Amino acid sequence: MLVTWKYRPRGTFLDSLDPRSRWITSFLILFAMVPIWHPYVMVGYFCLSMTQFFLSRLTWQETKRVWFFIIFLIVIVIGLNAIITGRGGPGEIQRLEPHVLWERSFNILGATWTPNITVEKIGFGITQMFRMMGTAVLFFIIPWTIDPSKYGVTFSGMGIPYRFAFSMDLAFRFVPTLARDFATTVDSQRARGYEVERLEGGLITQIRRVAPLIVPVVMNAIVNGEDITNAMDLRCFGQDKRTWIGKLQYRTRDYFWIGIGVAVFLGALYLNWGLNLENFFVPTWFYGLFGVVP
Amino acid sequence: MLDIIKHVHHTPRTLMTAETNALPLSIRDLKFTYRIREQAAIENINLDLHPGELMLVAGASGSGKTTLMRCINGLIPRSYRGKLEGDMRLFGQSLADLTMAELSQQVGTLLQDPERQIVASYVVNEVAFGLENLGLPREEILPRVDEALDYLNIGYLRDRETFSLSGGEKQKVALAGVLAMRPRILILDEPLASLDPASAFEALELFRHLADEGISIMLVEHRVDDVLAIKPDSVFYMENGREMYKGAPDGLMAVADYHRIKLPAEYVLQRARSEAPSVFTPAVGENNGAGPQLLAQFKNVTFRYDKDLPNVLQDVSFDIHTGDIIAILGPNGAGKSTLVKHALGLLKPTSGEVLLQGESTRTKTVAQAAHTVGYVFQNPGQMLFAPTVQEELAFGPKNLRMDAATVTTNVDWAIETVNMEEYRESPPLALSYGQQKRVSIAAILAMRSRLLMMDEPTAGQDYWNYRAFMDSILQMPGFGAVIFITHDVDLALVYANRILLLADGQLAADGPPAKVMADEALLRRCRVLPTSLLHLNLKHLPQTGRLMRAEELAHAIG
């Protein structure tokens, strides 16, 4: 059985919006930011996302685990990747003359690898982090702030065929279900003396050592999937037409909210092609932080 | 009569061409062979189901009950492929001519575990699900949803999240979802499996009521004893995929093997008199004449999952000594599983203390506690992972750093105990649910813990199998104490020498079965209902001095 995210109505402005307008505006803002690499614009984008977060009135207590996870992921994966390799953008780093802060050569199997850290890479990494944080904050509040009973009708109301819309509804609820099942499996294996925190041996051994956690969870997910399919078949799912008892209706506030999304999107287009503010650059003051003269 | 039932008497739109006076269901020479198997799962099945008939379909695990139900509700051959032969007619129309949607409107199915049936997030959406799929107008769906909820007296659950419901509530919500579609035939596949005794009885009464109102019902259940209380109109008894008996309930007693299905105690008593007396002597706690030793202590344990949530356990105190065979009984949601998880340290008390052989569980890791406490979880699928049964069983002992020779000895002993020798090299995940359950128990047995705890060890097992392994576990030397959570009153009565009754997170009773079970008012308060075996035992208690199984009682009272 699928469990739902911890949604509860909070009486906020966001709660009162049609979920479709929430999704549409979020995607408009996301798409607006795709072609832009300008660090100041990216900070603005992050602030916009945070404004929505504050409007949701979610508390730190409720969301702290997600924050930790996102920050960890972004810092490690995006941040370090950008700093060490300078990759992740359409070659912006290469266009700038590098100001090297640290450099070292390694000999690996006869080949020389020379990673370095430059002021430009740090600037680019930070910009990337703002982009990813902005995007994550834009979307991770959705499970807490959209009624799970409206997932299906929302997707369907956005023009997605109902079979696919219902699958998305199930997929959304699959995530917390997986977390619950994983916790139960961890407990089951701990009861057999398994110590999650004591993974010994080389990489292959360690991967084999997590099999007791991964295999039951995956197998359960497959069995649950079959159960759900059968339960849906037994109640006539898959006809040509389907009714959703949840009713959605756009109101003035929804048009206002979508209007914000459209404005951001058009604004980004103007920044990009009108003002040519799309490219990445390193502000002069940023060089100063490292005692470097550009 | 409510609308939900009135429509049963109408000719359905999808069956306008069917014969007007035809039976709701008629099956002739039905045979089905699953694609992956050579042997037929069921064959030579013939039965008729009349309007308003409540038919009990009985049989042990593997008798073909579930396959028969799948043939009727259309999952065979649509979801489960294989070779289907014979003729099945719904109101005179061949099932083969009906689409799944047409069939599902007429044949409603309630699965064994409501958790496997519920797909929506909220009760109202769950009950409406089928009607939404039929594309009915919203204005028609909502009244039908309310009607189904009101009919089952669960209107108050309408806006609740489905995953937060208790087992009994989930069962009723799943049934409401089926009834909202106004089926003319109901298939109920072991619907009592996850319910506490009182909820199970309420569910049975409801099924009887539905049949009396005109719905034809096929109730699959191996707890024959319980179902007979609601006077089914007929019985269809299966063994090894074949029909063994068809007819009035009374006739079943003569043909059914009471070792395989649970018959009323009076019948077992009569028939067991002519058999050799059975002797059951548990070996739990044997310590060469030394007195009982203290294994674990619960001291004023209070627990809640979150500071904003209510207490699940409230000031629970009791001791576990060697020799104790404790059954924990109580309604769904009483805190039984939460309680036993404390012994292993999987949960730590919010206040109070749990001591394991004198040491607080707060100071031990779960792995350290696992040396003393073996805990068998309810669902085997959440722990099985190894490529063979043997490797699965060796996992625990290896984690406890036992030497290779001890691991082999323990694994051999555990496999033998649960009677799974022939499956030693089989992948556990490919076994049936009942077999997986036995592997999960063996996996804990192999760790040779002093204190064995089992959460619903008999769930999903048939009567024959669970009795066999309970006998075997309790007769094995080596365990200091055994604790099991169960909804099966007779299991507690037969095997336990001490009963803990839990209600609303508090200990309502703790004592020997003869004392606790004699207080019927207390039992009912804890949603535990006396069974025919209990009544019989209490009647002869002055003579026998203790509670016992019907076969033993037959010889004890002469």
Side-chain angles (χ1 to χ4, degrees), chain A residues 1 4 173 184-185 189-190 192 198 220 227 230 234-236 239 242-245, chain B residues 80 101 115-116 119 126 132-133 135-136 138 161 163 366 382-383 392 399 401:
Chain A
M1 181 180 178
T4 50
R173 288 186 285 134
T184 311
T185 295
Q189 307 302 32
R190 287 170 77 203
R192 299 165 77 188
R198 279 180 58 180
N220 250 323
D227 287 345
N230 284 345
L234 287 173
R235 284 197 287 160
C236 308
Q239 304 294 295
R242 187 181 200 274
T243 308
W244 300 88
I245 54 164
Chain B
Y80 299 92
E115 290 237 345
R116 298 171 62 183
V119 291
E126 175 59 29
E132 290 179 311
N133 292 336
L136 299 180
R138 185 182 288 112
E161 285 175 300
F163 79 89
V366 175
Q382 280 164 335
M383 64 175 265
E392 188 72 57
N399 285 334
R401 315 255 187 242

mmCIF file of all heavy atoms in Angstrom, chain A residues 1 4 173 184-185 189-190 192 198 220 227 230 234-236 239 242-245, chain B residues 80 101 115-116 119 126 132-133 135-136 138 161 163 366 382-383 392 399 401:
data_model
loop_
_atom_site.group_PDB
_atom_site.id
_atom_site.type_symbol
_atom_site.label_atom_id
_atom_site.label_comp_id
_atom_site.label_asym_id
_atom_site.label_seq_id
_atom_site.Cartn_x
_atom_site.Cartn_y
_atom_site.Cartn_z
ATOM 1 N N MET A 1 0.834 -1.200 0.000
ATOM 2 C CA MET A 1 0.000 0.000 0.000
ATOM 3 C C MET A 1 0.872 1.255 0.000
ATOM 4 O O MET A 1 1.872 1.315 0.709
ATOM 5 C CB MET A 1 -0.857 -0.021 1.261
ATOM 6 C CG MET A 1 -1.769 1.130 1.386
ATOM 7 S SD MET A 1 -2.699 0.956 2.910
ATOM 8 C CE MET A 1 -3.638 2.445 2.847
ATOM 9 N N THR A 4 1.399 8.407 1.802
ATOM 10 C CA THR A 4 1.457 9.742 1.192
ATOM 11 C C THR A 4 2.462 10.612 1.933
ATOM 12 O O THR A 4 2.874 10.306 3.048
ATOM 13 C CB THR A 4 0.088 10.437 1.228
ATOM 14 O OG1 THR A 4 -0.416 10.348 2.545
ATOM 15 C CG2 THR A 4 -0.883 9.789 0.279
ATOM 16 N N ARG A 173 3.687 8.990 -4.826
ATOM 17 C CA ARG A 173 3.495 8.369 -3.517
ATOM 18 C C ARG A 173 4.450 7.199 -3.308
ATOM 19 O O ARG A 173 4.597 6.701 -2.208
ATOM 20 C CB ARG A 173 2.038 7.922 -3.376
ATOM 21 C CG ARG A 173 1.125 9.124 -3.204
ATOM 22 C CD ARG A 173 -0.287 8.725 -2.924
ATOM 23 N NE ARG A 173 -0.959 8.234 -4.103
ATOM 24 C CZ ARG A 173 -1.693 7.131 -4.127
ATOM 25 N NH1 ARG A 173 -1.827 6.406 -3.060
ATOM 26 N NH2 ARG A 173 -2.297 6.763 -5.235
ATOM 27 N N THR A 184 11.831 -0.437 7.329
ATOM 28 C CA THR A 184 11.427 -1.737 7.883
ATOM 29 C C THR A 184 12.481 -2.798 7.586
ATOM 30 O O THR A 184 12.816 -3.622 8.446
ATOM 31 C CB THR A 184 10.074 -2.187 7.271
ATOM 32 O OG1 THR A 184 9.165 -1.107 7.368
ATOM 33 C CG2 THR A 184 9.509 -3.395 7.987
ATOM 34 N N THR A 185 13.010 -2.776 6.363
ATOM 35 C CA THR A 185 14.039 -3.756 6.004
ATOM 36 C C THR A 185 15.298 -3.548 6.840
ATOM 37 O O THR A 185 15.903 -4.516 7.304
ATOM 38 C CB THR A 185 14.357 -3.658 4.495
ATOM 39 O OG1 THR A 185 13.187 -4.041 3.781
ATOM 40 C CG2 THR A 185 15.499 -4.566 4.100
ATOM 41 N N GLN A 189 16.869 -6.490 9.197
ATOM 42 C CA GLN A 189 18.247 -7.005 9.094
ATOM 43 C C GLN A 189 19.053 -6.697 10.345
ATOM 44 O O GLN A 189 19.919 -7.490 10.734
ATOM 45 C CB GLN A 189 18.952 -6.452 7.839
ATOM 46 C CG GLN A 189 18.202 -6.652 6.526
ATOM 47 C CD GLN A 189 17.883 -8.104 6.199
ATOM 48 O OE1 GLN A 189 17.652 -8.931 7.069
ATOM 49 N NE2 GLN A 189 17.822 -8.437 4.913
ATOM 50 N N ARG A 190 18.780 -5.587 10.971
ATOM 51 C CA ARG A 190 19.470 -5.299 12.243
ATOM 52 C C ARG A 190 19.091 -6.351 13.283
ATOM 53 O O ARG A 190 19.906 -6.748 14.104
ATOM 54 C CB ARG A 190 19.108 -3.905 12.754
ATOM 55 C CG ARG A 190 19.771 -2.787 11.927
ATOM 56 C CD ARG A 190 19.197 -1.447 12.296
ATOM 57 N NE ARG A 190 19.716 -0.955 13.561
ATOM 58 C CZ ARG A 190 19.090 -0.060 14.322
ATOM 59 N NH1 ARG A 190 17.928 0.428 13.950
ATOM 60 N NH2 ARG A 190 19.624 0.345 15.439
ATOM 61 N N ARG A 192 18.812 -9.259 12.718
ATOM 62 C CA ARG A 192 19.630 -10.448 12.415
ATOM 63 C C ARG A 192 21.115 -10.154 12.621
ATOM 64 O O ARG A 192 21.971 -10.816 12.049
ATOM 65 C CB ARG A 192 19.366 -10.901 10.972
ATOM 66 C CG ARG A 192 17.920 -11.295 10.750
ATOM 67 C CD ARG A 192 17.587 -11.385 9.280
ATOM 68 N NE ARG A 192 18.081 -12.602 8.676
ATOM 69 C CZ ARG A 192 18.051 -12.857 7.367
ATOM 70 N NH1 ARG A 192 17.538 -11.962 6.533
ATOM 71 N NH2 ARG A 192 18.511 -13.976 6.883
ATOM 72 N N ARG A 198 28.693 -0.731 9.830
ATOM 73 C CA ARG A 198 29.995 -1.403 9.766
ATOM 74 C C ARG A 198 30.178 -2.134 8.447
ATOM 75 O O ARG A 198 30.219 -3.361 8.387
ATOM 76 C CB ARG A 198 30.138 -2.376 10.934
ATOM 77 C CG ARG A 198 30.556 -1.666 12.227
ATOM 78 C CD ARG A 198 30.696 -2.646 13.346
ATOM 79 N NE ARG A 198 31.655 -3.699 13.076
ATOM 80 C CZ ARG A 198 31.927 -4.677 13.936
ATOM 81 N NH1 ARG A 198 31.305 -4.724 15.087
ATOM 82 N NH2 ARG A 198 32.805 -5.605 13.629
ATOM 83 N N ASN A 220 10.179 -6.110 -2.997
ATOM 84 C CA ASN A 220 8.888 -5.660 -2.457
ATOM 85 C C ASN A 220 8.220 -4.663 -3.382
ATOM 86 O O ASN A 220 7.005 -4.687 -3.577
ATOM 87 C CB ASN A 220 9.116 -4.978 -1.108
ATOM 88 C CG ASN A 220 8.583 -5.819 0.015
ATOM 89 O OD1 ASN A 220 7.554 -6.470 -0.129
ATOM 90 N ND2 ASN A 220 9.282 -5.834 1.117
ATOM 91 N N ASP A 227 0.585 -5.937 -7.236
ATOM 92 C CA ASP A 227 -0.652 -5.834 -6.439
ATOM 93 C C ASP A 227 -1.492 -4.648 -6.881
ATOM 94 O O ASP A 227 -2.712 -4.745 -7.027
ATOM 95 C CB ASP A 227 -0.305 -5.642 -4.950
ATOM 96 C CG ASP A 227 0.226 -6.915 -4.331
ATOM 97 O OD1 ASP A 227 0.063 -7.977 -4.956
ATOM 98 O OD2 ASP A 227 0.804 -6.838 -3.241
ATOM 99 N N ASN A 230 -3.175 -5.273 -10.206
ATOM 100 C CA ASN A 230 -4.336 -6.151 -10.065
ATOM 101 C C ASN A 230 -5.517 -5.421 -9.439
ATOM 102 O O ASN A 230 -6.652 -5.546 -9.890
ATOM 103 C CB ASN A 230 -3.987 -7.374 -9.195
ATOM 104 C CG ASN A 230 -3.161 -8.387 -9.963
ATOM 105 O OD1 ASN A 230 -3.090 -8.323 -11.185
ATOM 106 N ND2 ASN A 230 -2.538 -9.294 -9.260
ATOM 107 N N LEU A 234 -9.125 -4.832 -11.182
ATOM 108 C CA LEU A 234 -10.368 -5.336 -10.587
ATOM 109 C C LEU A 234 -11.401 -4.238 -10.391
ATOM 110 O O LEU A 234 -12.532 -4.514 -10.023
ATOM 111 C CB LEU A 234 -10.064 -6.008 -9.239
ATOM 112 C CG LEU A 234 -9.365 -7.365 -9.323
ATOM 113 C CD1 LEU A 234 -8.950 -7.858 -7.949
ATOM 114 C CD2 LEU A 234 -10.266 -8.402 -9.993
ATOM 115 N N ARG A 235 -10.972 -2.997 -10.573
ATOM 116 C CA ARG A 235 -11.945 -1.911 -10.465
ATOM 117 C C ARG A 235 -11.930 -1.038 -11.723
ATOM 118 O O ARG A 235 -12.008 0.176 -11.672
ATOM 119 C CB ARG A 235 -11.716 -1.116 -9.182
ATOM 120 C CG ARG A 235 -12.250 -1.935 -7.986
ATOM 121 C CD ARG A 235 -12.446 -1.137 -6.771
ATOM 122 N NE ARG A 235 -11.148 -0.805 -6.192
ATOM 123 C CZ ARG A 235 -10.967 0.192 -5.352
ATOM 124 N NH1 ARG A 235 -11.963 0.965 -5.009
ATOM 125 N NH2 ARG A 235 -9.781 0.423 -4.866
ATOM 126 N N CYS A 236 -11.817 -1.750 -12.843
ATOM 127 C CA CYS A 236 -12.124 -1.172 -14.157
ATOM 128 C C CYS A 236 -11.189 -0.056 -14.603
ATOM 129 O O CYS A 236 -11.592 0.799 -15.418
ATOM 130 C CB CYS A 236 -13.567 -0.658 -14.211
ATOM 131 S SG CYS A 236 -14.772 -1.852 -13.716
ATOM 132 N N GLN A 239 -10.428 2.331 -18.835
ATOM 133 C CA GLN A 239 -11.483 2.599 -19.820
ATOM 134 C C GLN A 239 -11.104 3.845 -20.646
ATOM 135 O O GLN A 239 -10.149 4.542 -20.328
ATOM 136 C CB GLN A 239 -12.806 2.861 -19.104
ATOM 137 C CG GLN A 239 -13.236 1.743 -18.168
ATOM 138 C CD GLN A 239 -13.569 0.477 -18.922
ATOM 139 O OE1 GLN A 239 -14.512 0.436 -19.691
ATOM 140 N NE2 GLN A 239 -12.760 -0.537 -18.745
ATOM 141 N N ARG A 242 -12.369 8.733 -18.053
ATOM 142 C CA ARG A 242 -12.365 8.621 -16.601
ATOM 143 C C ARG A 242 -12.842 9.924 -15.988
ATOM 144 O O ARG A 242 -12.545 11.004 -16.502
ATOM 145 C CB ARG A 242 -10.957 8.313 -16.085
ATOM 146 C CG ARG A 242 -10.902 8.017 -14.604
ATOM 147 C CD ARG A 242 -9.491 7.732 -14.134
ATOM 148 N NE ARG A 242 -9.482 7.013 -12.859
ATOM 149 C CZ ARG A 242 -9.536 7.590 -11.671
ATOM 150 N NH1 ARG A 242 -9.574 8.902 -11.573
ATOM 151 N NH2 ARG A 242 -9.544 6.870 -10.562
ATOM 152 N N THR A 243 -13.564 9.796 -14.871
ATOM 153 C CA THR A 243 -13.977 10.998 -14.136
ATOM 154 C C THR A 243 -13.036 11.154 -12.944
ATOM 155 O O THR A 243 -12.598 10.167 -12.376
ATOM 156 C CB THR A 243 -15.407 10.802 -13.575
ATOM 157 O OG1 THR A 243 -16.244 10.387 -14.632
ATOM 158 C CG2 THR A 243 -15.936 12.067 -12.955
ATOM 159 N N TRP A 244 -12.725 12.382 -12.595
ATOM 160 C CA TRP A 244 -11.965 12.637 -11.357
ATOM 161 C C TRP A 244 -12.920 13.349 -10.407
ATOM 162 O O TRP A 244 -13.500 14.374 -10.780
ATOM 163 C CB TRP A 244 -10.755 13.529 -11.616
ATOM 164 C CG TRP A 244 -9.762 12.954 -12.587
ATOM 165 C CD1 TRP A 244 -9.789 13.101 -13.944
ATOM 166 C CD2 TRP A 244 -8.612 12.173 -12.291
ATOM 167 N NE1 TRP A 244 -8.717 12.449 -14.515
ATOM 168 C CE2 TRP A 244 -7.974 11.865 -13.511
ATOM 169 C CE3 TRP A 244 -8.044 11.689 -11.107
ATOM 170 C CZ2 TRP A 244 -6.812 11.106 -13.586
ATOM 171 C CZ3 TRP A 244 -6.885 10.941 -11.191
ATOM 172 C CH2 TRP A 244 -6.281 10.653 -12.413
ATOM 173 N N ILE A 245 -13.087 12.816 -9.208
ATOM 174 C CA ILE A 245 -14.040 13.505 -8.316
ATOM 175 C C ILE A 245 -13.442 14.795 -7.756
ATOM 176 O O ILE A 245 -14.167 15.683 -7.346
ATOM 177 C CB ILE A 245 -14.540 12.605 -7.157
ATOM 178 C CG1 ILE A 245 -13.379 12.022 -6.365
ATOM 179 C CG2 ILE A 245 -15.491 11.550 -7.648
ATOM 180 C CD1 ILE A 245 -13.806 11.460 -5.018
ATOM 181 N N TYR B 80 -2.729 -13.341 -14.854
ATOM 182 C CA TYR B 80 -1.953 -14.568 -14.635
ATOM 183 C C TYR B 80 -2.186 -15.465 -15.839
ATOM 184 O O TYR B 80 -3.292 -15.950 -16.051
ATOM 185 C CB TYR B 80 -2.400 -15.269 -13.347
ATOM 186 C CG TYR B 80 -2.198 -14.425 -12.119
ATOM 187 C CD1 TYR B 80 -3.211 -13.589 -11.646
ATOM 188 C CD2 TYR B 80 -0.985 -14.436 -11.430
ATOM 189 C CE1 TYR B 80 -3.023 -12.795 -10.522
ATOM 190 C CE2 TYR B 80 -0.795 -13.653 -10.313
ATOM 191 C CZ TYR B 80 -1.818 -12.828 -9.864
ATOM 192 O OH TYR B 80 -1.619 -12.045 -8.749
ATOM 193 N N ALA B 101 -13.604 -4.862 -17.524
ATOM 194 C CA ALA B 101 -14.430 -3.813 -16.920
ATOM 195 C C ALA B 101 -15.852 -4.316 -16.699
ATOM 196 O O ALA B 101 -16.459 -4.071 -15.649
ATOM 197 C CB ALA B 101 -14.426 -2.575 -17.807
ATOM 198 N N GLU B 115 -4.304 -3.909 2.439
ATOM 199 C CA GLU B 115 -3.175 -3.061 2.045
ATOM 200 C C GLU B 115 -2.831 -3.256 0.572
ATOM 201 O O GLU B 115 -2.282 -2.379 -0.069
ATOM 202 C CB GLU B 115 -1.947 -3.432 2.881
ATOM 203 C CG GLU B 115 -2.050 -3.035 4.325
ATOM 204 C CD GLU B 115 -0.914 -2.145 4.733
ATOM 205 O OE1 GLU B 115 0.065 -2.076 4.000
ATOM 206 O OE2 GLU B 115 -1.030 -1.495 5.782
ATOM 207 N N ARG B 116 -3.127 -4.453 0.059
ATOM 208 C CA ARG B 116 -2.791 -4.745 -1.333
ATOM 209 C C ARG B 116 -3.868 -4.262 -2.279
ATOM 210 O O ARG B 116 -3.712 -4.334 -3.485
ATOM 211 C CB ARG B 116 -2.582 -6.247 -1.512
ATOM 212 C CG ARG B 116 -1.437 -6.791 -0.688
ATOM 213 C CD ARG B 116 -1.403 -8.293 -0.711
ATOM 214 N NE ARG B 116 -1.189 -8.800 -2.044
ATOM 215 C CZ ARG B 116 -1.171 -10.086 -2.354
ATOM 216 N NH1 ARG B 116 -1.376 -10.977 -1.419
ATOM 217 N NH2 ARG B 116 -0.965 -10.488 -3.582
ATOM 218 N N VAL B 119 -5.648 1.746 -3.368
ATOM 219 C CA VAL B 119 -4.730 2.455 -4.265
ATOM 220 C C VAL B 119 -4.738 3.973 -4.060
ATOM 221 O O VAL B 119 -3.804 4.645 -4.461
ATOM 222 C CB VAL B 119 -5.036 2.165 -5.761
ATOM 223 C CG1 VAL B 119 -4.701 0.736 -6.110
ATOM 224 C CG2 VAL B 119 -6.476 2.462 -6.102
ATOM 225 N N GLU B 126 -10.635 6.490 -2.557
ATOM 226 C CA GLU B 126 -10.533 5.036 -2.668
ATOM 227 C C GLU B 126 -11.898 4.431 -3.004
ATOM 228 O O GLU B 126 -12.009 3.581 -3.886
ATOM 229 C CB GLU B 126 -10.001 4.458 -1.346
ATOM 230 C CG GLU B 126 -9.958 2.950 -1.270
ATOM 231 C CD GLU B 126 -9.089 2.320 -2.345
ATOM 232 O OE1 GLU B 126 -8.124 2.962 -2.785
ATOM 233 O OE2 GLU B 126 -9.395 1.174 -2.743
ATOM 234 N N GLU B 132 -15.043 6.229 -10.728
ATOM 235 C CA GLU B 132 -14.300 7.189 -11.568
ATOM 236 C C GLU B 132 -13.823 6.496 -12.841
ATOM 237 O O GLU B 132 -13.893 7.052 -13.936
ATOM 238 C CB GLU B 132 -13.088 7.736 -10.809
ATOM 239 C CG GLU B 132 -13.423 8.669 -9.663
ATOM 240 C CD GLU B 132 -12.154 9.141 -8.942
ATOM 241 O OE1 GLU B 132 -11.301 8.291 -8.607
ATOM 242 O OE2 GLU B 132 -12.014 10.338 -8.706
ATOM 243 N N ASN B 133 -13.340 5.275 -12.666
ATOM 244 C CA ASN B 133 -12.831 4.536 -13.822
ATOM 245 C C ASN B 133 -13.922 4.228 -14.831
ATOM 246 O O ASN B 133 -13.653 4.084 -16.024
ATOM 247 C CB ASN B 133 -12.168 3.229 -13.371
ATOM 248 C CG ASN B 133 -10.895 3.480 -12.602
ATOM 249 O OD1 ASN B 133 -10.263 4.526 -12.767
ATOM 250 N ND2 ASN B 133 -10.523 2.560 -11.742
ATOM 251 N N GLY B 135 -16.164 6.220 -15.537
ATOM 252 C CA GLY B 135 -16.492 7.495 -16.186
ATOM 253 C C GLY B 135 -17.869 8.027 -15.821
ATOM 254 O O GLY B 135 -18.462 8.815 -16.568
ATOM 255 N N LEU B 136 -18.402 7.611 -14.666
ATOM 256 C CA LEU B 136 -19.718 8.115 -14.247
ATOM 257 C C LEU B 136 -19.617 9.600 -13.913
ATOM 258 O O LEU B 136 -18.541 10.076 -13.535
ATOM 259 C CB LEU B 136 -20.209 7.348 -13.022
ATOM 260 C CG LEU B 136 -20.420 5.848 -13.182
ATOM 261 C CD1 LEU B 136 -20.906 5.251 -11.868
ATOM 262 C CD2 LEU B 136 -21.414 5.562 -14.298
ATOM 263 N N ARG B 138 -19.632 12.995 -11.861
ATOM 264 C CA ARG B 138 -19.248 13.272 -10.480
ATOM 265 C C ARG B 138 -20.478 13.332 -9.560
ATOM 266 O O ARG B 138 -20.456 12.857 -8.432
ATOM 267 C CB ARG B 138 -18.499 14.615 -10.437
ATOM 268 C CG ARG B 138 -17.933 14.961 -9.090
ATOM 269 C CD ARG B 138 -17.253 16.308 -9.101
ATOM 270 N NE ARG B 138 -15.990 16.279 -9.825
ATOM 271 C CZ ARG B 138 -15.778 16.918 -10.981
ATOM 272 N NH1 ARG B 138 -16.750 17.640 -11.525
ATOM 273 N NH2 ARG B 138 -14.616 16.865 -11.566
ATOM 274 N N GLU B 161 -6.779 9.815 5.600
ATOM 275 C CA GLU B 161 -5.788 9.229 4.700
ATOM 276 C C GLU B 161 -5.829 7.708 4.856
ATOM 277 O O GLU B 161 -5.882 7.204 5.982
ATOM 278 C CB GLU B 161 -4.390 9.746 5.049
ATOM 279 C CG GLU B 161 -4.175 11.171 4.589
ATOM 280 C CD GLU B 161 -2.844 11.712 5.051
ATOM 281 O OE1 GLU B 161 -2.630 11.766 6.270
ATOM 282 O OE2 GLU B 161 -2.025 12.077 4.206
ATOM 283 N N PHE B 163 -3.619 5.329 4.480
ATOM 284 C CA PHE B 163 -2.523 4.602 5.132
ATOM 285 C C PHE B 163 -2.551 4.763 6.652
ATOM 286 O O PHE B 163 -1.898 4.014 7.374
ATOM 287 C CB PHE B 163 -1.157 4.993 4.554
ATOM 288 C CG PHE B 163 -0.608 6.291 5.065
ATOM 289 C CD1 PHE B 163 0.178 6.327 6.198
ATOM 290 C CD2 PHE B 163 -0.875 7.477 4.401
ATOM 291 C CE1 PHE B 163 0.688 7.524 6.668
ATOM 292 C CE2 PHE B 163 -0.374 8.673 4.859
ATOM 293 C CZ PHE B 163 0.412 8.698 5.999
ATOM 294 N N VAL B 366 21.556 -2.796 18.461
ATOM 295 C CA VAL B 366 20.592 -3.837 18.100
ATOM 296 C C VAL B 366 21.334 -5.143 17.822
ATOM 297 O O VAL B 366 20.885 -6.227 18.199
ATOM 298 C CB VAL B 366 19.749 -3.400 16.876
ATOM 299 C CG1 VAL B 366 18.831 -4.524 16.422
ATOM 300 C CG2 VAL B 366 18.937 -2.165 17.220
ATOM 301 N N GLN B 382 10.192 -8.601 3.588
ATOM 302 C CA GLN B 382 11.010 -7.431 3.912
ATOM 303 C C GLN B 382 12.397 -7.799 4.422
ATOM 304 O O GLN B 382 13.181 -6.925 4.775
ATOM 305 C CB GLN B 382 10.268 -6.557 4.914
ATOM 306 C CG GLN B 382 9.238 -5.710 4.202
ATOM 307 C CD GLN B 382 8.217 -5.102 5.115
ATOM 308 O OE1 GLN B 382 7.948 -5.608 6.187
ATOM 309 N NE2 GLN B 382 7.642 -3.994 4.687
ATOM 310 N N MET B 383 12.712 -9.093 4.486
ATOM 311 C CA MET B 383 14.055 -9.464 4.951
ATOM 312 C C MET B 383 14.786 -10.452 4.054
ATOM 313 O O MET B 383 16.004 -10.547 4.107
ATOM 314 C CB MET B 383 13.995 -10.008 6.383
ATOM 315 C CG MET B 383 13.208 -11.296 6.503
ATOM 316 S SD MET B 383 13.283 -11.967 8.177
ATOM 317 C CE MET B 383 14.615 -13.113 8.008
ATOM 318 N N GLU B 392 20.552 -17.772 3.216
ATOM 319 C CA GLU B 392 19.676 -16.855 3.950
ATOM 320 C C GLU B 392 19.768 -17.150 5.445
ATOM 321 O O GLU B 392 19.866 -16.238 6.269
ATOM 322 C CB GLU B 392 18.225 -17.053 3.463
ATOM 323 C CG GLU B 392 17.231 -16.048 3.992
ATOM 324 C CD GLU B 392 17.407 -14.674 3.375
ATOM 325 O OE1 GLU B 392 17.343 -14.569 2.150
ATOM 326 O OE2 GLU B 392 17.616 -13.704 4.135
ATOM 327 N N ASN B 399 26.625 -12.875 11.033
ATOM 328 C CA ASN B 399 26.661 -11.521 11.598
ATOM 329 C C ASN B 399 27.024 -11.550 13.079
ATOM 330 O O ASN B 399 27.639 -10.624 13.591
ATOM 331 C CB ASN B 399 25.308 -10.832 11.436
ATOM 332 C CG ASN B 399 25.058 -10.384 10.018
ATOM 333 O OD1 ASN B 399 25.996 -10.143 9.272
ATOM 334 N ND2 ASN B 399 23.796 -10.291 9.633
ATOM 335 N N ARG B 401 29.034 -13.474 14.317
ATOM 336 C CA ARG B 401 30.427 -13.953 14.364
ATOM 337 C C ARG B 401 30.542 -15.371 14.931
ATOM 338 O O ARG B 401 31.463 -15.663 15.707
ATOM 339 C CB ARG B 401 31.313 -13.004 15.185
ATOM 340 C CG ARG B 401 31.112 -11.527 14.876
ATOM 341 C CD ARG B 401 32.243 -10.982 14.077
ATOM 342 N NE ARG B 401 32.117 -9.547 13.941
ATOM 343 C CZ ARG B 401 31.965 -8.923 12.772
ATOM 344 N NH1 ARG B 401 31.920 -9.608 11.658
ATOM 345 N NH2 ARG B 401 31.873 -7.610 12.715
#
